[in-house]
Amino acid sequence: MKIWFSFIEGIRNIKRAKLASTITITSVAFAHLLIGVFLLFSVNINQIIGDVRSKIELEVFLEADLSVKSGRSVEKKIIGLEGVKDVKYISKEDAAKRFQEEFGRNIYEVLTFNPLPSSCTVKVKKGYRNYSFIKKLSTEIGRIDGVDEVKYQKQILSLIDRYITIVYAIAAAAGIILIIIAIVLLYNTIRLTIYGRKDLIDIMKLVGATKTMIKRPFIVEGFVEGLFGALIASVILYGSILLIKRYIYPYVVNAVEIYIILLISGATIGIIASGMSLVRHLKEI
Amino acid sequence: MIEFYNVNLDINRVGILRNISFRIVKGEFTFLIGPSGAGKSSIIRMIYMDVFPISGMVVVDRYSSAKIRRREISMLRRKIGVIFQDFKLLTDRSVFDNVAFSLHVVGERNKEIKRRVLKVLAEVNLSHKRNQYPDELSGGEKQRVAIARAIVNNPIIVLADEPTGNLDYASSVEIMNILERINKQGTAVLMATHDAALLKKYSHRQISIDQGVLNKK
């Protein structure tokens, strides 16, 4: 039997069992809509967290009377440490300028002297922006001669690190459960279609179709229904993201990869589900 | 060509056939007669290897029930045409497509399919109804479609399980005439029936079976 004939037969199966096919496609679409929401949610959370992490920097305050030369040497030492992306030395004078910029007043007018210490702002490389590493780095920097105090946003970092794993775990678990639900739904409807097509299968057997030939149209059917369901979910999702972007939150991330994942998942689930129902039920028929 | 050697058949532990032995040679027309429930259908199913004996052996062409592999069953069935009392047509496709189906299944080329389907439809006098659907046909016409489907693969034998069971006498005779014509072209025919009127009219060899046992004549 030629592949195209299997394909036509598969499409015929879908048309024939309109109700079952509609139910299958709808349930696959629904499951994939939820999977897509979770994926988009994860991508956006990831993006937001990445933004927060990229803004995290360590402020290294140097001892009050440290000379610019010594300050520069501290800067060099910090740059040499693992995970450090960039260090910016801020002299007492720079700090005074910043004060003027931020508060609009000259520090010397307010206090007659400059109490602001020189400091270094340390940026950390991507992949090192987690709580445990930054904590370690801050201790290391603190040990350098001339360093008075190291400050960073401890709370935000520890909060992110503590909850991110939970968020990802929930998203992954929800995704897996949804995929299983989609497979079970498809499995059941295809099984019903197979029972409904007993006459077709009988005739195929009678005229000398091999098992593979009998299976192929049903595999095609599962593939098409799965793919179509996922396509519907993708279109709905894509439209919703566009609307959200326009009217609610313009920074929402829309990743093309998600739609590719959804389509591949739909098609694969379709094939797996029909394969499973065939293995179990071809013997009984 | 078809040989039954001391065949015993149980289905769900119920004895269906007991110690059946017979032989059908190439090109022969044979009636398989006996009352309902005698085991006629079971014999036919054993020939196309849908059920297997618990002891004894069925040999069809070069395949033996004792040794045949799953894949070979498909190959065997391509050499056998089967027709039933209830026609077993696919109601959602035309007469042409019903007949073409068995050629599609074996991977025949489209051009060849068209040629052969039109040829067999002419043989059963249904060329003019090739675009109609089974529900639009009479019982006799449906059975002729089934016959066309059975012979389109050029089988070595046509197995007919009560093919006239649902038909009036005139249609039955028509079916019989077609089967005889097919037989004259060299295809063996094994027809299960308990239609006394037909048996009187046509004098072919009879294999008689009752309660799962062959009647010796």
Side-chain angles (χ1 to χ4, degrees):
Chain A
M1 183 158 55
K2 304 253 169 60
I3 295 289
W4 70 264
F5 182 71
S6 303
F7 204 83
I8 291 170
E9 282 296 310
I11 305 289
R12 258 184 200 257
N13 278 356
I14 296 172
K15 278 196 208 156
R16 211 149 23 203
K18 281 198 188 82
L19 182 66
S21 309
T22 313
I23 294 170
T24 311
I25 292 171
T26 315
S27 35
V28 174
F30 186 69
H32 279 77
L33 196 60
L34 293 177
I35 294 171
V37 167
F38 271 98
L39 284 176
L40 275 171
F41 178 76
S42 307
V43 167
N44 276 283
I45 290 277
N46 215 3
Q47 177 76 25
I48 291 168
I49 288 171
D51 279 353
V52 173
R53 284 194 202 274
S54 71
K55 281 183 189 126
I56 278 174
E57 46 189 33
L58 294 96
E59 282 210 79
V60 179
F61 295 103
L62 304 178
E63 282 166 0
D65 299 323
L66 206 69
S67 66
V68 173
K69 196 183 162 196
S70 312
R72 290 281 180 197
S73 99
V74 172
E75 183 189 15
K76 266 179 201 154
K77 278 180 192 158
I78 296 175
I79 271 198
L81 294 172
E82 192 201 348
V84 173
K85 184 186 172 195
D86 180 37
V87 183
K88 199 175 167 197
Y89 173 72
I90 297 159
S91 67
K92 278 175 88 77
E93 284 313 309
D94 292 336
K97 271 183 210 156
R98 278 195 178 184
F99 184 88
Q100 167 101 36
E101 279 163 20
E102 274 180 42
F103 299 101
R105 294 185 68 178
N106 190 322
I107 189 99
Y108 295 102
E109 282 170 14
V110 183
L111 284 171
T112 70
F113 69 101
N114 178 4
L116 301 168
S118 57
S119 64
C120 291
T121 314
V122 181
K123 283 196 173 147
V124 181
K125 280 183 192 162
K126 211 175 175 181
Y128 289 93
R129 290 167 189 162
N130 58 67
Y131 179 60
S132 60
F133 179 78
I134 287 179
K135 195 176 163 191
K136 203 181 100 203
L137 183 66
S138 101
T139 322
E140 263 180 76
I141 294 173
R143 282 202 203 106
I144 297 171
D145 273 343
V147 172
D148 183 32
E149 197 187 1
V150 183
K151 277 191 173 172
Y152 60 95
Q153 286 146 304
K154 213 181 234 167
Q155 273 183 322
I156 292 182
L157 255 186
S158 73
L159 206 67
I160 289 177
D161 281 8
R162 200 181 314 148
Y163 290 110
I164 190 68
T165 341
I166 299 172
V167 170
Y168 283 149
I170 290 173
I176 290 168
I177 289 170
L178 287 168
I179 286 174
I180 292 171
I181 290 174
I183 291 180
V184 170
L185 285 171
L186 246 174
Y187 168 76
N188 276 310
T189 31
I190 289 185
R191 210 182 66 186
L192 286 177
T193 329
I194 291 170
Y195 272 124
R197 301 310 292 155
K198 194 181 175 306
D199 54 345
L200 182 73
I201 293 176
D202 279 347
I203 291 168
M204 286 181 110
K205 282 181 168 179
L206 206 62
V207 297
T210 58
K211 248 191 168 173
T212 324
M213 291 169 175
I214 297 173
K215 279 182 188 169
R216 252 179 350 211
F218 290 99
I219 300 282
V220 168
E221 182 183 349
F223 169 81
V224 172
E225 288 180 349
L227 189 67
F228 195 59
L231 187 70
I232 291 175
S234 301
V235 169
I236 294 175
L237 218 55
Y238 190 80
S240 312
I241 291 288
L242 287 188
L243 288 179
I244 291 174
K245 229 180 182 144
R246 183 150 181 190
Y247 295 109
I248 303 171
Y249 181 66
Y251 305 108
V252 70
V253 181
N254 201 1
V256 186
E257 292 88 338
I258 288 178
Y259 301 102
I260 296 170
I261 290 172
L262 286 183
L263 293 179
I264 292 174
S265 148
T268 315
I269 285 173
I271 291 172
I272 292 174
S274 50
M276 268 166 50
S277 33
L278 280 164
V279 165
R280 242 193 88 189
H281 295 275
L282 212 51
K283 282 180 201 148
E284 296 172 20
I285 297 170
Chain B
M1 187 180 59
I2 293 176
E3 282 165 282
F4 275 57
Y5 297 104
N6 305 320
V7 170
N8 286 291
L9 172 71
D10 282 11
I11 292 177
N12 297 329
R13 290 189 188 163
V14 178
I16 305 290
L17 297 172
R18 283 294 165 256
N19 205 27
I20 302 284
S21 296
F22 66 85
R23 169 188 289 207
I24 293 170
V25 297
K26 212 174 164 194
E28 193 176 9
F29 197 124
T30 314
F31 283 122
L32 184 58
I33 61 168
S36 296
K40 302 189 296 292
S41 296
S42 298
I43 287 181
I44 285 182
R45 286 175 70 193
M46 291 180 95
I47 296 173
Y48 65 88
M49 308 257 175
D50 190 33
V51 285
F52 290 86
I54 51 161
S55 68
M57 188 167 69
V58 179
V59 177
V60 182
D61 197 26
R62 55 189 180 88
Y63 300 103
S64 151
S65 63
K67 288 185 203 150
I68 195 163
R69 279 176 294 187
R70 191 177 277 280
R71 211 184 151 73
E72 290 173 331
I73 294 177
S74 311
M75 298 305 133
L76 167 68
R77 287 181 185 169
R78 292 176 192 186
K79 297 181 171 185
I80 298 175
V82 194
I83 57 177
F84 299 92
Q85 184 172 354
D86 61 355
F87 323 123
K88 293 203 193 299
L89 298 177
L90 296 166
T91 51
D92 64 335
R93 54 193 91 197
S94 66
V95 166
F96 183 95
D97 286 341
N98 261 284
V99 179
F101 189 71
S102 50
L103 292 175
H104 278 301
V105 164
V106 299
E108 200 55 77
R109 286 193 355 258
N110 271 3
K111 214 174 157 185
E112 180 66 8
I113 289 175
K114 196 172 177 193
R115 191 185 69 78
R116 277 162 66 177
V117 173
L118 292 177
K119 185 172 164 267
V120 291
L121 284 178
E123 279 176 41
V124 298
N125 302 323
L126 278 176
S127 301
H128 58 298
K129 299 219 167 173
R130 61 179 179 273
N131 293 324
Q132 288 190 298
Y133 285 77
D135 289 341
E136 300 162 1
L137 306 177
S138 71
E141 287 169 335
K142 283 183 195 169
Q143 195 58 288
R144 273 145 61 194
V145 178
I147 292 175
R149 184 181 62 197
I151 60 172
V152 74
N153 255 334
N154 299 321
I156 54 170
I157 185 166
V158 170
L159 305 172
D161 191 358
E162 302 272 3
T164 58
N166 278 341
L167 306 178
D168 55 36
Y169 185 71
S171 303
S172 301
V173 169
E174 201 178 2
I175 296 301
M176 277 305 297
N177 290 341
I178 292 173
L179 288 176
E180 289 215 304
R181 213 159 58 222
I182 293 166
N183 177 243
K184 286 214 175 74
Q185 290 164 7
T187 308
V189 176
L190 176 65
M191 174 171 159
T193 185
H194 60 266
D195 188 333
L198 283 182
L199 290 170
K200 226 181 221 174
K201 187 170 158 60
Y202 297 91
S203 56
H204 294 296
R205 176 190 167 204
Q206 298 183 356
I207 295 174
S208 169
I209 184 170
D210 194 6
Q211 295 182 348
V213 185
L214 278 190
N215 286 329
K216 300 280 180 207
K217 279 194 176 174

